Amino acid sequence: MSESSEAENEQWRKTGILRPEDVDLPDEGKLEDNAIAVIECPQKIPCNPCEENCPVGAIKLEDLNAIPKVDTEKCTGCSICVQQCPGLAIFMVEYTGDDKCEITIPYEFELPEEGEEIEALNRKGEKVCIGNVTDTLPREKSVGDTPTLTIEVPREFANIVRSIRRKNR
Ligand code: SF4
Ligand code: SF4
Protein backbone atom coordinates (compact mmCIF):
# COMPACT_ATOMS: atom_id res chain seq x y z
CA MET A 1 0.00 0.00 0.00
CA SER A 2 1.19 3.52 -0.65
CA GLU A 3 2.27 5.80 2.17
CA SER A 4 -0.86 7.98 2.33
CA SER A 5 -2.75 4.87 3.27
CA GLU A 6 -5.41 6.42 5.51
CA ALA A 7 -7.01 8.43 2.70
CA GLU A 8 -6.63 5.52 0.36
CA ASN A 9 -8.21 3.22 2.87
CA GLU A 10 -11.22 5.52 2.83
CA GLN A 11 -11.46 5.21 -0.95
CA TRP A 12 -11.10 1.44 -0.69
CA ARG A 13 -13.89 1.30 1.90
CA LYS A 14 -16.29 3.02 -0.51
CA THR A 15 -15.72 0.62 -3.39
CA GLY A 16 -14.09 -2.49 -1.92
CA ILE A 17 -11.60 -2.33 -4.80
CA LEU A 18 -8.09 -0.92 -4.73
CA ARG A 19 -7.09 1.42 -7.52
CA PRO A 20 -3.64 1.27 -9.18
CA GLU A 21 -2.74 4.52 -7.43
CA ASP A 22 -3.44 2.88 -4.07
CA VAL A 23 -0.62 0.38 -4.63
CA ASP A 24 3.10 1.18 -4.75
CA LEU A 25 5.02 -1.18 -7.00
CA PRO A 26 8.66 -1.75 -6.04
CA ASP A 27 11.33 0.12 -8.01
CA GLU A 28 11.85 -0.94 -11.61
CA GLY A 29 15.37 -2.17 -10.86
CA LYS A 30 14.11 -4.48 -8.13
CA LEU A 31 11.40 -5.86 -10.37
CA GLU A 32 13.99 -6.56 -13.05
CA ASP A 33 16.17 -8.48 -10.54
CA ASN A 34 13.55 -10.92 -9.33
CA ALA A 35 9.88 -11.26 -8.56
CA ILE A 36 8.82 -9.16 -5.57
CA ALA A 37 5.76 -9.62 -3.37
CA VAL A 38 3.13 -6.91 -3.74
CA ILE A 39 0.71 -6.95 -0.83
CA GLU A 40 -2.79 -5.56 -1.40
CA CYS A 41 -4.23 -5.99 2.06
CA PRO A 42 -5.77 -2.67 3.15
CA GLN A 43 -8.01 -3.95 5.92
CA LYS A 44 -6.76 -3.84 9.49
CA ILE A 45 -7.58 -7.36 10.59
CA PRO A 46 -5.87 -9.71 13.07
CA CYS A 47 -3.93 -11.78 10.56
CA ASN A 48 -0.25 -12.41 9.87
CA PRO A 49 0.52 -15.72 8.09
CA CYS A 50 2.38 -13.65 5.50
CA GLU A 51 4.76 -12.34 8.15
CA GLU A 52 5.07 -15.66 9.99
CA ASN A 53 5.85 -17.70 6.88
CA CYS A 54 8.26 -15.45 5.01
CA PRO A 55 11.56 -17.36 5.25
CA VAL A 56 13.70 -14.22 5.13
CA GLY A 57 11.66 -11.92 7.36
CA ALA A 58 10.80 -9.58 4.51
CA ILE A 59 7.23 -8.92 5.70
CA LYS A 60 6.57 -6.90 8.83
CA LEU A 61 3.43 -5.77 10.62
CA GLU A 62 3.72 -3.13 13.35
CA ASP A 63 1.15 -5.17 15.27
CA LEU A 64 -1.22 -8.02 14.49
CA ASN A 65 -3.88 -5.65 13.12
CA ALA A 66 -1.51 -3.52 11.09
CA ILE A 67 -1.17 -3.44 7.32
CA PRO A 68 1.76 -5.62 6.21
CA LYS A 69 4.78 -4.07 4.51
CA VAL A 70 7.36 -5.78 2.30
CA ASP A 71 11.07 -5.04 2.55
CA THR A 72 11.91 -5.25 -1.15
CA GLU A 73 15.63 -5.52 -0.33
CA LYS A 74 14.98 -8.80 1.46
CA CYS A 75 12.28 -10.37 -0.72
CA THR A 76 13.71 -13.26 -2.72
CA GLY A 77 10.61 -13.83 -4.83
CA CYS A 78 9.82 -17.27 -3.39
CA SER A 79 6.03 -16.63 -3.43
CA ILE A 80 5.47 -18.51 -0.17
CA CYS A 81 3.49 -15.54 1.15
CA VAL A 82 1.13 -15.74 -1.84
CA GLN A 83 0.54 -19.41 -1.11
CA GLN A 84 0.00 -18.75 2.61
CA CYS A 85 -2.25 -15.68 2.50
CA PRO A 86 -5.84 -16.65 3.38
CA GLY A 87 -7.10 -13.36 1.97
CA LEU A 88 -5.69 -13.93 -1.55
CA ALA A 89 -4.18 -10.49 -1.07
CA ILE A 90 -0.60 -11.00 -2.24
CA PHE A 91 0.75 -11.01 -5.78
CA MET A 92 4.22 -11.42 -7.24
CA VAL A 93 5.42 -9.01 -9.92
CA GLU A 94 8.59 -9.35 -12.01
CA TYR A 95 9.73 -7.41 -15.03
CA THR A 96 10.91 -9.69 -17.82
CA GLY A 97 12.35 -8.94 -21.24
CA ASP A 98 10.64 -7.28 -24.20
CA ASP A 99 8.69 -4.88 -21.97
CA LYS A 100 6.78 -7.77 -20.45
CA CYS A 101 6.10 -8.65 -16.84
CA GLU A 102 5.10 -11.77 -14.99
CA ILE A 103 2.37 -11.58 -12.38
CA THR A 104 1.71 -14.42 -9.95
CA ILE A 105 -1.89 -14.54 -8.83
CA PRO A 106 -3.63 -16.56 -6.10
CA TYR A 107 -6.23 -18.53 -8.01
CA GLU A 108 -8.80 -20.88 -6.53
CA PHE A 109 -10.62 -21.92 -9.70
CA GLU A 110 -9.62 -24.70 -12.09
CA LEU A 111 -6.09 -23.91 -13.14
CA PRO A 112 -5.40 -23.27 -16.83
CA GLU A 113 -2.67 -25.07 -18.73
CA GLU A 114 0.84 -23.66 -18.89
CA GLY A 115 1.16 -21.84 -22.21
CA GLU A 116 -2.58 -21.20 -22.39
CA GLU A 117 -3.69 -17.83 -23.70
CA ILE A 118 -6.01 -16.12 -21.22
CA GLU A 119 -7.84 -12.83 -20.79
CA ALA A 120 -6.03 -10.73 -18.19
CA LEU A 121 -8.42 -8.80 -15.91
CA ASN A 122 -8.06 -5.74 -13.73
CA ARG A 123 -9.09 -5.50 -10.06
CA LYS A 124 -12.69 -4.88 -11.15
CA GLY A 125 -12.73 -8.04 -13.26
CA GLU A 126 -12.64 -6.12 -16.53
CA LYS A 127 -10.60 -7.38 -19.47
CA VAL A 128 -7.34 -5.49 -19.92
CA CYS A 129 -5.38 -7.53 -22.45
CA ILE A 130 -4.45 -11.03 -23.58
CA GLY A 131 -1.76 -12.84 -21.60
CA ASN A 132 -0.10 -16.23 -21.44
CA VAL A 133 0.15 -18.62 -18.52
CA THR A 134 3.81 -19.29 -17.75
CA ASP A 135 3.48 -21.36 -14.58
CA THR A 136 0.90 -22.95 -12.31
CA LEU A 137 1.08 -24.23 -8.75
CA PRO A 138 -1.77 -26.57 -7.80
CA ARG A 139 -3.09 -26.71 -4.27
CA GLU A 140 -1.32 -30.00 -3.53
CA LYS A 141 2.03 -28.41 -4.28
CA SER A 142 1.29 -25.14 -2.50
CA VAL A 143 3.02 -24.73 0.86
CA GLY A 144 -0.12 -23.00 2.09
CA ASP A 145 -3.67 -23.61 1.00
CA THR A 146 -3.64 -21.38 -2.04
CA PRO A 147 -2.98 -22.45 -5.63
CA THR A 148 -1.33 -19.87 -7.84
CA LEU A 149 -0.74 -19.15 -11.49
CA THR A 150 1.74 -16.90 -13.21
CA ILE A 151 0.96 -15.00 -16.37
CA GLU A 152 2.95 -12.83 -18.72
CA VAL A 153 1.43 -9.56 -19.90
CA PRO A 154 2.80 -6.25 -21.22
CA ARG A 155 4.76 -4.42 -18.52
CA GLU A 156 2.45 -1.41 -18.64
CA PHE A 157 -0.17 -3.56 -16.92
CA ALA A 158 2.03 -4.65 -14.00
CA ASN A 159 -0.06 -2.65 -11.54
CA ILE A 160 -3.37 -3.21 -13.30
CA VAL A 161 -3.80 -6.93 -14.07
CA ARG A 162 -4.76 -8.97 -11.03
CA SER A 163 -6.88 -11.86 -12.29
CA ILE A 164 -7.65 -13.92 -15.38
CA ARG A 165 -10.54 -15.35 -17.32
CA ARG A 166 -10.03 -18.43 -19.44
CA LYS A 167 -11.05 -17.93 -23.05
CA ASN A 168 -14.05 -19.77 -24.48
CA ARG A 169 -15.39 -20.82 -21.09
S1 SF4 B 1 7.94 -13.73 -1.84
FE1 SF4 B 1 9.02 -14.98 -0.30
S2 SF4 B 1 10.70 -13.67 0.38
FE2 SF4 B 1 9.26 -12.33 -0.67
S3 SF4 B 1 7.94 -11.51 0.92
FE3 SF4 B 1 6.92 -13.35 0.11
S4 SF4 B 1 7.58 -15.04 1.43
FE4 SF4 B 1 8.99 -13.32 1.78
S1 SF4 C 1 -1.72 -13.09 5.36
FE1 SF4 C 1 -2.78 -12.00 3.72
S2 SF4 C 1 -4.71 -11.28 4.62
FE2 SF4 C 1 -3.31 -11.83 6.33
S3 SF4 C 1 -2.26 -9.88 6.84
FE3 SF4 C 1 -0.96 -10.99 5.38
S4 SF4 C 1 -1.56 -10.13 3.39
FE4 SF4 C 1 -3.21 -9.62 4.82
Side-chain angles (χ1 to χ4, degrees), residues 143-154:
V143 297
D145 196 37
T146 304
T148 70
L149 58 82
T150 302
I151 58 169
E152 186 178 66
V153 294

Side-chain angles (χ1 to χ4, degrees), residues 37 53-56 58-59 70 74-82 92:
N53 289 287
C54 175
V56 296
I59 299 179
V70 178
K74 289 184 178 174
C75 178
T76 62
C78 70
S79 89
I80 288 172
C81 53
V82 184
M92 303 299 306

Side-chain angles (χ1 to χ4, degrees), residues 36-50:
I36 303 279
V38 175
I39 299 186
E40 305 192 7
C41 178
Q43 197 165 17
K44 294 181 178 177
I45 50 170
C47 181
N48 71 343
C50 54

Side-chain angles (χ1 to χ4, degrees), residues 17-74:
I17 299 170
L18 290 170
R19 304 163 302 173
E21 58 265 40
D22 297 329
V23 176
D24 282 335
L25 282 189
D27 293 344
E28 188 171 333
K30 296 263 176 256
L31 293 172
E32 286 174 342
D33 284 347
N34 59 270
I36 303 279
V38 175
I39 299 186
E40 305 192 7
C41 178
Q43 197 165 17
K44 294 181 178 177
I45 50 170
C47 181
N48 71 343
C50 54
E51 179 182 42
E52 287 193 329
N53 289 287
C54 175
V56 296
I59 299 179
K60 293 287 175 213
L61 285 77
E62 286 176 12
D63 59 66
L64 185 59
N65 289 296
I67 291 170
K69 308 255 186 232
V70 178
D71 183 338
T72 60
E73 297 290 336
K74 289 184 178 174

Side-chain angles (χ1 to χ4, degrees), residues 67-156:
I67 291 170
K69 308 255 186 232
V70 178
D71 183 338
T72 60
E73 297 290 336
K74 289 184 178 174
C75 178
T76 62
C78 70
S79 89
I80 288 172
C81 53
V82 184
Q83 300 165 46
Q84 290 281 358
C85 171
L88 312 184
I90 309 181
F91 304 82
M92 303 299 306
V93 177
E94 181 174 16
Y95 284 175
T96 53
D98 297 330
D99 272 336
K100 298 281 179 75
C101 68
E102 286 195 338
I103 305 173
T104 298
I105 297 169
Y107 193 76
E108 296 206 298
F109 302 102
E110 183 185 350
L111 286 169
E113 302 293 324
E114 289 178 25
E116 186 172 322
E117 199 171 77
I118 48 81
E119 294 181 351
L121 311 179
N122 64 16
R123 294 177 179 89
K124 296 179 183 173
E126 299 163 338
K127 181 181 170 184
V128 174
C129 63
I130 296 296
N132 286 290
V133 177
T134 59
D135 197 14
T136 59
L137 184 76
R139 192 183 304 276
E140 60 270 21
K141 291 190 178 170
S142 170
V143 297
D145 196 37
T146 304
T148 70
L149 58 82
T150 302
I151 58 169
E152 186 178 66
V153 294
R155 193 177 286 193
E156 65 188 290

